Amino acid sequence: VCAAGDVADVAPARLRLMVTTSMALPADVRDAALREVQQIWRREGVAIVLAEAGDAPATTPLMRVLIVSAAGASARRDAHHWPVAELLEDGHGQPMAIASMAAARRVVAAAGLADAPSALAHRQIGVVLGRAIAHEVGHHLLNTAGHARHGLMRARIDASDFADLRDGGF
């Protein structure tokens, strides 16, 4: 029990992400995506730690993330539905998020931002990928397929909101 005004010294929850990317994914897009995931979950008290392939087994839970260049099979689109990632299980029953760079590019284009300079476009694509991955991390951490009406865990996100570099809705 903390006295009034004291701050409890509580370690944040931790989740390790083992990230594998397509060779076609620019490093700055990957970095922007992972920064976005970490920032979103840091605000919620969850530390996202990047795991390397050679790391020794750890007690911190692990989730695999695969970022591919092509669109996924569920590339259904309408004005408010932009599937960029999905959560599956790998062959060992472990959680694995698969995110599509092509789908993130479609979101950026639909938001009217396709003509941005390369560095800005890469950041926008990375932010979209990061938000999609963070959403799938949410499904895993919350152990639910359900969605919220607002924020990160909503089911449908307008393209301009999805690609907005401000973090207000997430």
Side-chain angles (χ1 to χ4, degrees):
V1 177
C2 295
D6 288 348
V7 176
D9 187 20
V10 178
R14 296 170 57 93
L15 176 67
R16 291 181 307 136
L17 294 185
M18 175 76 68
V19 181
T20 305
T21 65
S22 161
M23 295 294 288
L25 185 75
D28 56 343
V29 172
R30 178 188 188 275
D31 293 346
L34 297 177
R35 251 190 331 271
E36 186 74 8
V37 174
Q38 289 172 317
Q39 287 174 356
I40 287 170
W41 283 104
R42 183 180 308 120
R43 288 189 298 262
E44 300 304 320
V46 178
I48 301 294
V49 179
L50 302 179
E52 300 295 328
D55 286 352
T59 57
T60 304
L62 175 72
M63 179 175 170
R64 296 186 184 283
V65 175
L66 176 61
I67 304 175
V68 299
S69 55
S74 63
R76 191 183 100 216
R77 294 172 281 166
D78 61 38
H80 300 285
H81 189 81
W82 299 96
V84 175
E86 61 184 320
L87 183 64
L88 307 168
E89 287 185 1
D90 68 10
H92 305 287
Q94 298 300 310
M96 179 172 65
I98 300 177
S100 164
M101 187 170 68
R105 278 191 176 131
R106 276 197 313 267
V107 170
V108 169
L113 304 170
D115 296 331
S118 180
L120 179 57
H122 282 189
R123 183 162 176 241
Q124 290 166 322
I125 292 166
V127 164
V128 170
L129 283 169
R131 290 173 176 173
I133 293 166
H135 176 93
E136 301 308 333
V137 166
H139 281 302
H140 170 63
L141 291 176
L142 299 170
N143 194 27
T144 182
H147 291 98
R149 290 184 182 194
H150 306 287
L152 175 67
M153 295 310 296
R154 61 194 147 165
R156 297 178 189 273
I157 303 169
D158 180 84
S160 60
D161 192 21
F162 211 159
D164 189 337
L165 294 179
R166 297 170 294 180
D167 66 358
F170 295 90

